[in-house]
Amino acid sequence: MDVKVSSTPRGSYRKFLEQLSGAGKAIGVLTSGGDAQGMNAAVRAVVRMGIYVGAKVYFIYEGYQGMVDGGSNIVEANWESVSSILQVGGTIIGSARCKAFRTREGRLKAASNLVHRGITNLCVIGGDGSLTGANIFRKEWSGLLEELARDGKIDHEAVQKYAYLNVVGMVGSIDNDFCGTDMTIGTDSALHRIIEVVDAIMTTAQSHQRTFVLEVMGRHCGYLALVSALACGADWVFLPESPPEEGWEESMCVKLSENRARKKRLNIIIVAEGAIDTQNRPITSEKIKELVVTQLGYDTRVTILGHVQRGGTPSAFDRILASRMGVEAVIALLEATPETPACVVSLSGNQAVRLPLMECVQMTQDVQKAMDERRFKDAVQLRGRSFETNLNTYKRLAIKLPDDQIPKTNCNVAVINVGAPAAGMNAAVRSAVRVGIADGHKMFAVYDGFDGFAKGQIKEIGWGDVGGWTGQGGSILGTKRILPGKYLDKIATQIRTHNINAILIIGGFEAYHGMIIMGDARSQQEEFCIPMCLLPATISNNVPGTDISIGSDTGLNTVVETCDRIKQSASGTKRRVFIIETMGGYCGYLANMGGLAAGADAAYIFEEPFDIRDLQSNVEHLTEKMKTTIQRGLVLRNESCSENYTTDFIYQLYSEEGKGVFDCRKNVLGHMQQGGAPSPFDRNFGTKISARAMQWITMKLKEAPGKGKKFVSDDSICVLGISKRNVVFQPVTELKKETDFEHRIPKEQWWLKLRPVMKILAKYRTSYDVSDSGQLEPVQQHNGHEEHAAI
């Protein structure tokens, strides 16, 4: 086998998937505990990646129960077994709670069933209970085999041959209640369900001036309640980890009536099903309703979401997360030795990591212990950085101090939207305005981009003016693609007239380019010597300085949902291939990630040049595939990936070459990718990152007491983004070097590393650099000093 080794900048050696072989290995995959959307995507990735590296992969049906019962519950899977399951919620291999596996006799049966099929690698997708069970099994394994040999169930050769069991876990749980991982599989989809309901309820509550109490899942973890409260701007939220202070009944009623007095026609209160007060007594949705009705006399309704949250199709985020984790899990199993402790693959910021399973489980149990002992501050900290940031941001945005209690800074900060509209822009504006006001600044809204700035379309904007903005798509302030170049004098005049001390720009590549132009103008016009910060917001995700832009998740969900529908439209007809064109300018993010999430056979992008030979081999590959039981093919094409290989050209080529095997249809998705209500991810991300940008602006303005200070240094004009695991502010002067201005993309893009994953899952042989996969990390590392980019 060829071993490719090349040195990396870190001086270590690159490691390629080709160097790992699964030949002679057997992997068992099971889903256990409560189901979660995205489990099927994980199962699919494990099966296909396992087969790709030459291992045998077995489905273990009905979780641990199937492992104990054996027989037809443990079945070898092939490539087609997992075809067309990516978009299906729940788990196709079933999940069950299993009492038998908790006993040693049960585990003996399970071990016997696995050994008879040669399975010594387990991939377990479930919650902390399921993963703890797997670890106990792993520790007892050699003892179990010896006992089976003594009883004559297996021979001594088998004891030697299958001496140790490797276990890798993936956390599938909608509650996001597992410590050490930012997002568990299913959480994002559950938030989609909750936010769909909240958006629907808001319209009816608005009509009748009602108060709604919404109960969401989370017996021991308030993540879903907290994030949905943040994403819809709820008036009040009840969480198990952070109970309200004594006398909360009165404070809540005061807050609700103040909001009504500000002309707000509805109130939304979100309750986690496990909500408690400081004495650990339950706070139920019915109790809250009674309180509001008796104290305030408001028309109040309770809605309990229940199992709706577990159902439905997985979001794009969950499919990509589960696919990445599934591939990572197989690599971890191939690299495991008898000494390797059981690990769980998880997400930290935007990076896949491996963590020791039992450390994570221990931390998860510590949270519960802290709650039982009423150490609520510790409980919040143990939940992790992401949970804490969410909680602090929610408190800042939900509760306004009386004006006389806010120390004034006498600074004016302007907020502006630039470029094409992106979902989540309004959430970012709302967050910036409220954080700015809480910090004592006067906030000004600039309407219609740089064009409006030059014309003086600038108004002061207050706390109440941005109420209800989080769920609105597009840009309420108005946005234009015009660059500031021609208008610099006029803009400088407006900055002087309105006495603006800092600018927050929310937008795409034009916003980035515009900020560079204004930075370059500092030497001529001192008005531009003020702190400026850019929040990247564009569906194309093509702004240098960040891995993820506000709006790209919503755009991606649109692409994926449309692909699902288009694929389904052909069910029942003969074999068919769809050619779908996505937006993104020259940036292939939507096409590539959409391809990974929708299970595409190919995705053509500008960043990876292709020629007629590549097209030819793709067509042949699809033709071969279509001769099996596979009925549908999906090909994505980025709108600017090639001047001559247009969508029409590719459509005609596939139609001609596929004659007699499949027919073709094409779709151009167009502007539907820019519209629509923002996804929960974009609302939450826009809200949090915008609050962080305002903190930075406030810090900069504090460096300049008195009005005299000019900001001329590079670090006073920055892009705020996420890079791997951290939130980073990067000066635009540094980012200029990393930008391809002609094609409006960064020179290096992290997601290109995921190209091979898409190809492997579509049955292509390819080279995959797995240098980033690697050593187990201690869980504590995640609480370091850098600012962690928990999403």
Side-chain angles (χ1 to χ4, degrees), residues 384-586:
R385 190 86 43 103
S386 155
F387 192 87
E388 225 176 330
T389 319
N390 281 328
L391 188 56
N392 295 334
T393 309
Y394 175 76
K395 286 177 179 167
R396 290 205 73 176
L397 297 176
I399 299 156
K400 180 184 190 288
L401 287 171
D403 285 339
D404 52 7
Q405 286 180 32
I406 302 175
K408 296 284 175 278
T409 59
N410 297 323
C411 290
N412 297 342
V413 179
V415 182
I416 178 172
N417 288 350
V418 176
M425 276 182 164
N426 300 322
V429 172
R430 167 185 176 267
S431 174
V433 167
R434 291 197 169 177
V435 172
I437 291 171
D439 284 347
H441 311 313
K442 259 190 184 175
M443 297 300 295
F444 286 84
V446 179
Y447 294 86
D448 292 337
F450 289 125
D451 188 29
F453 207 156
K455 291 179 181 158
Q457 295 172 355
I458 304 166
K459 279 219 292 269
E460 190 179 341
I461 186 165
W463 185 279
D465 298 333
V466 290
W469 278 29
T470 35
Q472 308 277 334
S475 158
I476 297 173
L477 294 184
T479 176
K480 285 191 176 170
R481 292 190 154 193
I482 292 167
L483 290 171
K486 293 187 285 195
Y487 305 108
L488 286 172
D489 295 341
K490 288 181 179 171
I491 292 174
T493 311
Q494 292 299 338
I495 293 176
R496 205 167 48 244
T497 313
H498 290 90
N499 196 6
I500 287 167
N501 307 97
I503 301 175
L504 176 66
I505 306 176
I506 301 166
F509 199 89
E510 291 84 3
Y512 167 73
H513 198 170
M515 199 157 88
I516 291 174
I517 293 170
M518 292 197 294
D520 292 344
R522 280 178 164 182
S523 49
Q524 285 87 43
Q525 280 146 322
E526 59 175 20
E527 286 82 358
F528 294 114
C529 298
I530 55 176
M532 298 185 207
C533 182
L534 168 67
L535 290 185
T538 162
I539 63 162
S540 309
N541 198 24
N542 63 336
V543 179
T546 189
D547 288 355
I548 297 168
S549 312
I550 299 167
S552 58
D553 182 70
T554 308
L556 197 54
N557 273 298
T558 308
V559 171
V560 172
E561 281 163 24
T562 314
C563 288
D564 287 353
R565 287 191 175 184
I566 287 172
K567 274 168 99 172
Q568 198 170 20
S569 73
S571 73
T573 59
K574 52 184 186 298
R575 294 185 163 76
R576 184 164 284 174
V577 172
F578 293 96
I579 318 286
I580 294 176
E581 181 186 302
T582 66
M583 283 169 96
Y586 284 99

Side-chain angles (χ1 to χ4, degrees), residues 578-583 588 590-592 602-606 610 615 634-651 667-669 673:
F578 293 96
I579 318 286
I580 294 176
E581 181 186 302
T582 66
M583 283 169 96
L590 285 177
N592 187 67
Y604 298 115
I605 58 172
F606 170 76
F610 57 97
L615 288 170
L634 186 65
V635 174
L636 271 64
R637 179 191 174 272
N638 159 268
E639 57 185 355
S640 307
C641 65
S642 161
E643 210 178 327
N644 296 313
Y645 298 134
T646 59
T647 305
D648 282 334
F649 178 90
I650 292 174
Y651 163 68
N667 270 71
V668 176
L669 298 186
Q673 293 162 86

Side-chain angles (χ1 to χ4, degrees), residues 201 205 208-214 252-253 256 260 265-269 271 284-303:
I201 278 180
H208 295 279
Q209 297 202 34
R210 281 196 175 129
T211 296
F212 269 87
V213 182
L214 244 83
M252 184 180 81
C253 291
L256 296 182
R260 284 289 171 100
R265 292 176 59 90
L266 76 159
N267 305 107
I268 300 268
I269 299 166
V271 196
T284 62
S285 35
E286 278 304 327
K287 179 181 172 179
I288 298 163
K289 175 186 166 171
E290 276 168 35
L291 184 76
V292 176
V293 172
T294 49
Q295 296 289 319
L296 299 169
Y298 292 166
D299 184 359
T300 307
R301 302 295 158 100
V302 174
T303 301

